[in-house]
Amino acid sequence: MPTIHRVQLRLCCASFVLWLLAQGSKGSFKAGKANVATVSPGLFACQQVSFATPFHGGQEVTVLASLGRSIKSPTRGNGGAIWVESVDQSGFKTCILEYSDGSNNTAEVNWIATQSAPSGGKRGSISFGDWATGTQCKIINFQQPFQSPPVILVTPSHQTPERPQDAMAVWIEDSRKDSFKICLKESKIFDVVHKDIEVNWMAYTEANFDNFTLTESLVFTNNTQQDNYAFCQKVNFTSPFFAPPVVVLTPKRIYRNVTSPGSECDAMTAWVEVNITLFLFF
């Protein structure tokens, strides 16, 4: 059984889902890492990723990705926005826009690519249309509900390439058996009209593959100003990997014993450092 970590909550929390895979391919899934070196000014960069073996058939390829650091950062709070572009059966492009002072060329993208969801799972994408500023949220309704609230991973997919002005913080809320909410918030306010942004998503309750480990959630409180409102926890694997695994995660906001103050105030990003420590930044 996966290990679940819990802490005492005061106002709200954010839980994480992690996809931990050895790099390579397994059935209809591929996984890997890409080093992306951003430069100043702007701290923006993209990297082309080619699959070692391409996908086949007419099914659409879904790519899900999250941000990592190849070394431990001495300063907390340096998260970033991540997205994918130009996805096809041979590969894709991934882009990041780092916040604050950046990571000094230690940023890496952890990714998985698939043509199908795990057995019993679902996948899809939703378009956010054109919008000007602030936060946008949309609800995904499952055609068939799950037996319990599923694990959900999401990643923005830009249809217009290399537009750092469309960089977004992305998270989920209100995860239920029959629906969930995806929220986006622009990295810089009034940073032109945002358009042609889709969000890829995958939902599942079980996933059984070789070289696969799943930790259902980690819970963080947001009741301290320490480390620039960045919160971290160390994750110990129940069984060691022979090489650093791919770690893909999505932040989820949960409100307990309080009324939600509204998604527009709740942007957050998440990343993993040296495959040991998970960080959440509000």
Side-chain angles (χ1 to χ4, degrees):
M1 293 295 291
T3 301
I4 303 177
H5 302 263
R6 290 285 186 264
V7 297
Q8 186 64 38
L9 303 180
R10 233 179 18 174
L11 292 177
C12 64
C13 68
S15 65
F16 283 72
V17 295
L18 293 84
W19 190 284
L20 307 176
L21 286 162
Q23 296 189 59
S25 300
K26 181 64 180 178
S28 63
F29 286 83
K30 304 180 189 296
K33 297 172 180 282
N35 294 319
V36 183
T38 61
V39 295
S40 297
L43 295 176
F44 162 72
C46 296
Q47 178 68 42
Q48 182 66 36
V49 176
S50 298
F51 302 136
T53 56
F55 287 98
H56 299 285
Q59 289 183 298
E60 183 178 1
V61 176
T62 296
V63 176
L64 300 158
S66 59
L67 184 62
R69 301 275 187 256
S70 59
I71 63 172
K72 186 176 181 179
S73 173
T75 304
R76 303 292 177 241
N78 293 343
I82 183 172
W83 66 95
V84 298
E85 304 174 351
S86 307
V87 179
D88 60 28
Q89 293 186 332
S90 298
F92 64 96
K93 182 182 289 185
T94 183
C95 300
I96 61 173
L97 177 71
E98 294 193 281
Y99 304 147
S100 187
D101 297 326
S103 63
N104 193 26
N105 294 328
T106 65
E108 63 180 12
V109 173
N110 290 252
W111 59 267
I112 58 173
T114 181
Q115 285 184 307
S116 64
S119 178
K122 310 176 192 299
R123 67 179 181 132
S125 64
I126 186 169
S127 174
F128 273 71
D130 297 352
W131 49 289
T133 191
T135 301
Q136 293 286 315
C137 295
K138 291 200 172 184
I139 295 176
I140 305 293
N141 293 299
F142 303 130
Q143 291 185 350
Q144 296 291 332
F146 289 89
Q147 295 293 318
S148 59
V151 171
I152 299 169
L153 297 173
V154 300
T155 300
S157 177
H158 291 192
Q159 306 308 299
T160 302
E162 298 194 19
R163 275 177 55 95
Q165 58 268 47
D166 286 333
M168 300 286 161
V170 58
W171 69 97
I172 64 171
E173 297 182 357
D174 298 334
S175 178
R176 308 172 187 272
K177 293 186 293 185
D178 58 356
S179 66
F180 70 97
K181 182 191 293 185
I182 300 175
C183 293
L184 298 176
K185 186 169 185 175
E186 60 186 352
S187 296
K188 297 180 180 179
I189 62 171
F190 302 112
D191 201 10
V192 309
V193 174
H194 307 295
K195 57 183 180 179
D196 300 328
I197 298 176
E198 297 181 357
V199 176
N200 299 330
W201 60 268
M202 184 166 66
Y204 60 93
T205 54
E206 294 183 2
N208 298 308
F209 302 102
D210 294 337
N211 300 323
F212 176 91
T213 302
L214 175 67
T215 301
E216 288 186 351
S217 65
L218 293 171
V219 180
F220 297 73
T221 55
N222 63 341
N223 57 4
T224 177
Q225 299 182 28
Q226 184 179 359
D227 291 330
N228 298 320
Y229 288 99
F231 307 93
C232 62
Q233 288 193 41
K234 184 177 180 179
V235 177
N236 294 309
F237 302 135
T238 55
S239 298
F241 289 87
F242 293 104
V246 174
V247 182
V248 178
L249 62 154
T250 290
K252 177 174 67 175
R253 183 170 291 277
I254 303 170
Y255 298 98
R256 293 183 179 174
N257 303 322
V258 295
T259 302
S260 169
S263 300
E264 66 275 4
C265 300
D266 294 338
M268 55 185 176
T269 59
W271 68 98
V272 62
E273 292 188 353
V274 291
N275 282 349
I276 294 177
T277 308
L278 287 175
F279 289 87
L280 171 70
F281 181 64
F282 290 90

